[in-house]
Amino acid sequence: MWDNALPSFLIGLREGLEAGLIVSVLVAALVRSGHRSRLPHVWTGVLAAVGVSMGFGAVLTFTAADLSGRAQEAFGGVLSVVAVVFVTAMVFWMRRSARSLSGELEERVSAAVGMGAGVLVVTSFLAVGREGLETALFLWTTGQAAGESAGPLTGAGAGLLLAAAVCRGLYRRVLHLNLTRFFTVTGAGLIVIAAGVLGYGVRDLQEGGVLPGAAAFAFDLSARVDPASWYATLAAGMFNLTPQMTWLQATAYGTYLLVVMALFVRGVRGTAVSAAASPVSGTASPVPTTISPGPAAASPGPAAASPVSTAASPPAAAPSSTPAAEPAASQDEPQPVQAGSAAAPTAGRRLPRAATITVSPADCGGGFTAPKPGRQSFQVRDTGRGTVEAYLIDPVTAAVYGEVEGVAPGTTRTLTATIGTGSYAWRCVPASGRAVTSAAVRVTGGGTRTAVLPVAAKDLAAPLASYRAYVRQGLAGLLTRTRTLQRDVDAGQLGRARKDWLPAHEAYAALGAAYGTFGEFDAKINGTTAGLPRGVKDSGFTGFHRVEYGLWHGESAASLTGAVRQLTADVTALRKDFPHQDFDAGDLPLRTHEILEATLQQELTGATDYGSGTALATAEANIRGTRVLLGLLRPLIRQRDPEVLTNVDRWLRRTEHLVLAARHPDGSWTPLASLSGAARRRLDGAMGQSLEELAPIPDLLEIRRAA
């Protein structure tokens, strides 16, 4: 039994981990977007997919049982070949798509949330159902090959349980796993196992009369090798190798193993080369090793101005309707702004006719000649077989003038850039493999245009380390203040508790905790009633705002004891967990904008005021958290666009001055609702302009593969 369990254990572990990662991404996308109430829809789709997969396995079993002996052999052989095809496609798909899996699923979730519960159920069902059907088919074929079901089912069950535990650990950030290496090793193992399943399937087809050569043996070692021996049983159970194999069976086994393994290894090497490439050959994003329910890479907002020319376009998988040489887009499209340059051209002015630039994973910049100075539009068409990211760069410094991401085969995307005096080239970065750079051209007579110097992950390593140190220190102070608040409530001193609540809450806000920085801990510590069916009476309403509501709505100390103790416990758990949490360095620039965006949407609308009237105090703490992040990133920003810092500093000072005007000498604050209409408009306007000035920073410091 144990010999037959290992192949099923591997398929259960790998397919279970794939499905588990998909579910984790779906859940994390809903949690980070504040749609926890939609989680039951995900689980409904998941359970439906599991049910369909189990039903599929039952159909296979009962269908085979009703067939004659020869028909059963043929039926099993066909399904074995189909299983091999599915498993092979799955192995290569995961190797190719792992990098973009999280982003693609989060895009689907975002779309599904806006379209209703049914679409979200279907999204989770389809995402998990494919893995379930593959697992059911493969387990059925391995069970047929083993001649018994106990071993395969035991192995698959163990693999699925381990996969569930691993996914939970990744989601909770208590486990770190190199998923790239995992899928590489298990992929190679599954190819070996699939070769055995293919050989077994060919033998079944021969015995069922579908294929010839049932009596033409390539070798017959049954006289020398005891089929009941432990090593023969092990080889048959794990690899479907038997002492007696036909020529067709052995040929199928060997050919599949050699060809598929060679293609797989070559693909792995190509990915490794891409990941470790020099500035000339580009860099590749690693497969994420945790599924974080933290912040999404939110857009800076509708008014954000990008320092790099980009094209507004549909997802890469959608075919483009743009002709290969169509005139430039109308002025209704977003007009990008060059770093260090003036804004878009005058409304109504037509751009020159767009030049068509062909790109592909193997060739880049076809049709590119020296453009004329000024505003230019390029039609970027992918003529290859793989998706690429295309960059218009300075070939000497690798600085980026414009980019289009995710150009799919056969589609055309528009890139608009302002051309000045300098050198220009195209760089194509495929999903896997080496980057390709076109020949450079020289443009003169166009004035000076500043491109964006690319940022690599290593450039953000030091700011990220400093941010983590800042948060660790801040969490220690937060815990001290939270314990003080708990002691007040435990002693029945509610007046003192109301006084000590605000310093503790400000300490948390100053850590830059907007947009779920700390994952599920943020919802526990600073969550609101949004999405909770029973509002302030809901058991899921916990943390600072739950305590705030009780303190300012006449609840007794006894009724608040549980809430404040739970708050202290959650802060303690966050402090313990934080050193093990993974943070994407690319999130740091985003957070400079997101913290105050959340402030404008929450604190300055009164949505997070549960009675204390201290929303403006929280806003001031959020400004302090933003300043900390700006201080860490200031050298990188100054190197790319110093004017951004000048404007940001000016408007942050003005906004902070307006906020601090509501603080009284005794430390109390004027409630937001008590401000005059004019004061609120001035504050909203200043915060909005601060966000305008902060908006270019995430684009300036975006980690680009063109580097």
Side-chain angles (χ1 to χ4, degrees):
M1 183 182 77
W2 301 112
D3 303 317
N4 297 321
L6 183 59
S8 298
F9 171 79
L10 184 59
I11 192 67
L13 175 61
R14 180 178 171 112
E15 290 279 17
L17 188 55
E18 283 191 36
L21 290 175
I22 290 172
V23 173
S24 298
V25 171
L26 293 175
V27 172
L30 289 175
V31 170
R32 72 175 58 178
S33 61
H35 291 91
R36 286 177 174 271
S37 59
R38 299 292 187 92
L39 290 179
H41 303 151
V42 172
W43 299 120
T44 299
V46 170
L47 290 176
V50 172
V52 169
S53 302
M54 296 177 67
F56 178 60
V59 168
L60 294 178
T61 301
F62 291 121
T63 299
D66 291 337
L67 298 175
S68 64
R70 287 177 63 87
Q72 285 186 18
E73 299 290 351
F75 182 71
V78 170
L79 290 184
S80 294
V81 174
V82 172
V84 169
V85 172
F86 280 162
V87 170
T88 305
M90 175 265 293
V91 167
F92 282 90
W93 174 82
M94 196 60 185
R95 191 202 68 200
R96 181 179 65 254
S97 304
R99 290 190 182 90
S100 59
L101 176 65
S102 177
E104 290 175 0
L105 283 172
E106 288 182 1
E107 289 179 4
R108 293 186 199 174
V109 172
S110 298
V113 166
M115 297 176 68
V119 178
L120 190 57
V121 171
V122 172
T123 298
S124 58
F125 173 81
L126 294 178
V128 178
R130 189 188 71 169
E131 315 299 331
L133 292 175
E134 288 178 354
T135 303
L137 178 58
F138 198 83
L139 290 180
W140 187 86
T141 56
T142 53
Q144 289 294 109
E148 53 97 13
S149 58
L153 289 178
T154 301
L160 290 172
L161 288 175
L162 180 58
V166 170
C167 287
R168 180 176 177 83
L170 293 176
Y171 183 85
R172 298 289 182 180
R173 300 183 181 186
V174 298
L175 178 66
H176 304 273
L177 178 66
N178 188 325
L179 293 179
T180 302
R181 183 171 300 172
F182 172 84
F183 284 117
T184 298
V185 173
T186 58
L190 280 180
I191 289 173
V192 175
I193 293 172
V197 173
L198 178 62
Y200 172 82
V202 169
R203 181 60 177 167
D204 271 356
L205 291 173
Q206 288 178 312
E207 293 179 350
V210 178
L211 293 178
F217 295 107
F219 56 85
D220 186 353
L221 304 177
S222 55
R224 301 180 181 180
V225 177
D226 181 6
S229 63
W230 68 268
Y231 49 86
T233 303
L234 184 65
M238 293 179 60
F239 309 114
N240 277 301
L241 289 173
T242 60
Q244 185 185 66
M245 296 182 71
T246 66
W247 279 106
L248 188 58
Q249 185 182 6
T251 300
Y253 183 100
T255 302
Y256 173 89
L257 186 61
L258 291 175
V259 173
V260 176
M261 187 66 78
L263 292 174
F264 182 77
V265 171
R266 186 175 67 177
V268 170
R269 288 178 176 175
T271 302
V273 169
S274 175
S278 65
V280 174
S281 56
T283 58
S285 304
V287 177
T289 58
T290 59
I291 303 298
S292 168
S299 168
S306 171
V308 177
S309 299
T310 58
S313 61
S320 172
S321 59
T322 308
E326 190 177 58
S330 70
Q331 294 299 320
D332 293 334
E333 293 186 358
Q335 294 297 324
V337 178
Q338 291 285 344
S341 70
T346 305
R349 182 185 302 169
R350 293 185 61 84
L351 298 178
R353 186 174 181 84
T356 299
I357 307 298
T358 60
V359 299
S360 74
D363 190 21
C364 191
F368 182 49
T369 58
K372 294 181 179 180
R375 197 76 167 172
Q376 300 289 336
S377 182
F378 301 93
Q379 294 294 321
V380 182
R381 183 166 184 81
D382 188 348
T383 58
R385 296 184 178 181
T387 301
V388 300
E389 296 177 5
Y391 299 88
L392 181 63
I393 66 168
D394 180 333
V396 177
T397 64
V400 178
Y401 289 98
E403 64 184 279
V404 283
E405 299 179 354
V407 187
T411 63
T412 301
R413 304 275 294 277
T414 302
L415 184 150
T416 303
T418 302
I419 304 299
T421 299
S423 296
Y424 295 84
W426 288 90
R427 177 163 294 166
C428 301
V429 184
S432 62
R434 290 179 176 273
V436 181
T437 304
S438 73
V441 300
R442 180 75 184 174
V443 176
T444 58
T448 302
R449 290 292 180 269
T450 304
V452 174
L453 187 65
V455 173
K458 63 181 181 180
D459 297 325
L460 292 169
L464 180 59
S466 298
Y467 170 71
R468 292 178 68 91
Y470 163 75
V471 173
R472 283 196 299 270
Q473 182 178 0
L475 287 174
L478 171 64
L479 182 57
T480 298
R481 288 176 170 82
T482 306
R483 285 172 173 166
T484 299
L485 176 62
Q486 179 183 328
R487 284 195 296 269
D488 294 339
V489 174
D490 288 344
Q493 300 292 330
L494 297 187
R496 186 180 300 169
R498 282 188 285 270
K499 180 179 178 181
D500 289 335
W501 178 89
L502 181 57
H505 189 238
E506 285 184 301
Y508 182 76
L511 299 179
Y515 276 69
T517 301
F518 303 121
E520 289 191 337
F521 286 106
D522 185 57
K524 295 177 180 178
I525 294 172
N526 203 42
T528 66
T529 56
L532 299 180
R534 299 185 61 224
V536 295
K537 301 298 183 182
D538 199 289
S539 60
F541 183 36
T542 62
F544 278 112
H545 292 304
R546 169 64 185 93
V547 176
E548 176 190 10
Y549 179 83
L551 287 174
W552 275 272
H553 284 82
E555 290 191 20
S556 65
S559 66
L560 281 172
T561 299
V564 75
R565 288 181 178 178
Q566 181 62 48
L567 172 61
T568 303
D570 290 335
V571 171
T572 302
L574 172 59
R575 186 187 180 196
K576 181 179 179 181
D577 185 72
F578 179 75
H580 307 291
Q581 293 181 0
D582 284 336
F583 284 84
D584 187 347
D587 281 347
L588 281 182
L590 284 167
R591 207 159 306 289
T592 61
H593 184 278
E594 288 174 346
I595 295 173
L596 294 189
E597 184 178 52
T599 304
L600 183 63
Q601 296 171 352
Q602 302 291 328
E603 277 71 30
L604 296 191
T605 62
T608 55
D609 187 352
Y610 287 87
S612 67
T614 59
L616 294 176
T618 305
E620 191 273 334
N622 287 338
I623 292 175
R624 279 189 277 127
T626 300
R627 287 191 183 280
V628 170
L629 283 171
L630 285 173
L632 299 176
L633 299 172
R634 189 171 292 270
L636 295 175
I637 301 171
R638 183 182 294 113
Q639 187 179 13
R640 287 156 179 82
D641 193 347
E643 186 178 353
V644 167
L645 287 174
T646 301
N647 296 333
V648 165
D649 289 341
R650 181 171 68 251
W651 279 100
L652 276 185
R653 283 195 300 269
R654 181 170 181 177
T655 305
E656 190 172 38
H657 174 75
L658 292 173
V659 171
L660 290 175
R663 186 172 67 182
H664 304 154
D666 62 355
S668 62
W669 289 77
T670 299
L672 180 69
S674 299
L675 293 181
S676 66
R680 289 191 66 168
R681 286 193 294 272
R682 284 195 298 271
L683 179 55
D684 289 344
M687 184 67 78
Q689 188 60 42
S690 295
L691 288 172
E692 289 279 346
E693 304 301 339
L694 287 164
I697 292 177
D699 290 312
L700 279 174
L701 302 186
E702 178 185 355
I703 298 175
R704 289 184 168 85
R705 297 175 66 193

